[in-house]
Amino acid sequence: KQLEVIVNRRILIQEATKRRLAEEESFVNTIRNFWEQTLIRNLLNQLSLELVKTVTVSEAEINDYYSKLSQKVSFEVSGSPDKKVIDGLAEKLLQGKTVEWDKKFGPVAHEEIASAALENAFSLAIGESKVYVENAFYYLVRVSAKESVTPPALTEVRARIEAQIKQRKQQAALEKWLKETRAKAKIHLFTVQPHPAKTK
């Protein structure tokens, strides 16, 4: 049965090749996309394995992370790709004026945060605000409220905390490597002209 499947597969592939289906643009693009995705995934896996050897976590980092588990924080956030817009909003806050916030988050625990901007703002005092840049986008973040919660004992969550700190440091290191590599790269942009409409 297995041999029959292999033979039938070969016959179908030979027929598809004879009909030049492997040369069709849609097929070539599918193969190229699959190849690129696989190559990128393998590279990221290799880089992650390399970074694991260099990333370390100190007791101070674990204790600092654990101290944040005893709070839930609510945020007010406004974002823009234009730094001047965000600087203008920050100035309005300093002058005691009202700001129209784009979004409000919370209360959220430190472990629930995926954004680097919110993670950095977690330690701000209530009413305190700061401007952060993330992926070429500027954010004004203000802490609107904090509430106390009782975390599990450190001994119960220590391994998890260490793993999460390592993962975040690896991600930050990978983003830094990509940013530095991109800065050194020579990037050429080509404009593709659309095909002229076919006339009947």
Side-chain angles (χ1 to χ4, degrees):
K1 285 182 181 179
Q2 185 63 31
L3 183 60
E4 191 175 331
V5 169
I6 294 170
V7 170
N8 288 344
R9 184 182 170 90
R10 280 283 128 210
I11 289 170
L12 290 170
I13 289 172
Q14 285 178 6
E15 182 62 24
T17 304
K18 195 187 297 179
R19 295 184 184 206
R20 305 175 77 91
L21 294 179
E23 298 173 23
E24 289 188 0
E25 189 177 356
S26 60
F27 176 77
V28 172
N29 287 338
T30 300
I31 295 299
R32 182 171 58 237
N33 289 337
F34 175 76
W35 178 80
E36 287 176 351
Q37 288 170 5
T38 304
L39 201 60
I40 289 170
R41 187 192 65 216
N42 291 348
L43 172 64
L44 291 175
N45 288 340
Q46 192 176 80
L47 287 171
S48 294
L49 288 173
E50 291 172 7
L51 290 171
V52 165
K53 299 171 186 174
T54 60
V55 170
T56 58
V57 179
S58 68
E59 281 299 318
E61 287 173 317
I62 291 172
N63 290 331
D64 179 61
Y65 190 102
Y66 180 71
S67 69
K68 292 173 181 173
L69 299 184
S70 61
Q71 288 183 328
K72 284 193 173 185
V73 179
S74 296
F75 301 97
E76 295 168 319
V77 181
S78 281
S80 172
D82 189 345
K83 187 175 185 295
K84 289 180 182 177
V85 171
I86 297 303
D87 286 343
L89 292 177
E91 185 61 31
K92 281 180 75 175
L93 273 184
L94 287 174
Q95 295 170 359
K97 296 178 181 177
T98 304
V99 168
E100 292 285 332
W101 298 100
D102 294 337
K103 291 180 182 177
K104 295 185 179 183
F105 300 94
V108 291
H110 187 259
E111 290 182 298
E112 298 170 328
I113 293 174
S115 161
L118 293 185
E119 185 182 348
N120 290 327
F122 200 89
S123 300
L124 296 178
I126 297 173
E128 194 176 355
S129 62
K130 197 169 182 180
V131 174
Y132 299 96
V133 60
E134 187 177 332
N135 298 323
F137 212 82
Y138 296 89
Y139 296 94
L140 175 63
V141 182
R142 187 174 78 152
V143 172
S144 57
K146 287 190 175 189
E147 61 181 67
S148 297
V149 293
T150 304
L154 178 57
T155 51
E156 294 176 27
V157 293
R158 191 184 190 288
R160 192 181 78 209
I161 289 173
E162 186 174 4
Q164 287 182 339
I165 295 173
K166 272 187 179 178
Q167 187 178 20
R168 290 184 181 189
K169 287 175 105 174
Q170 285 171 24
Q171 183 63 33
L174 183 60
E175 288 171 4
K176 181 173 180 277
W177 174 86
L178 186 57
K179 188 176 179 181
E180 289 173 350
T181 305
R182 181 173 174 153
K184 296 176 202 170
K186 291 182 179 178
I187 300 171
H188 303 278
L189 299 177
F190 298 93
T191 303
V192 178
Q193 298 295 331
H195 291 292
K198 292 182 179 179
T199 55
K200 292 184 179 179

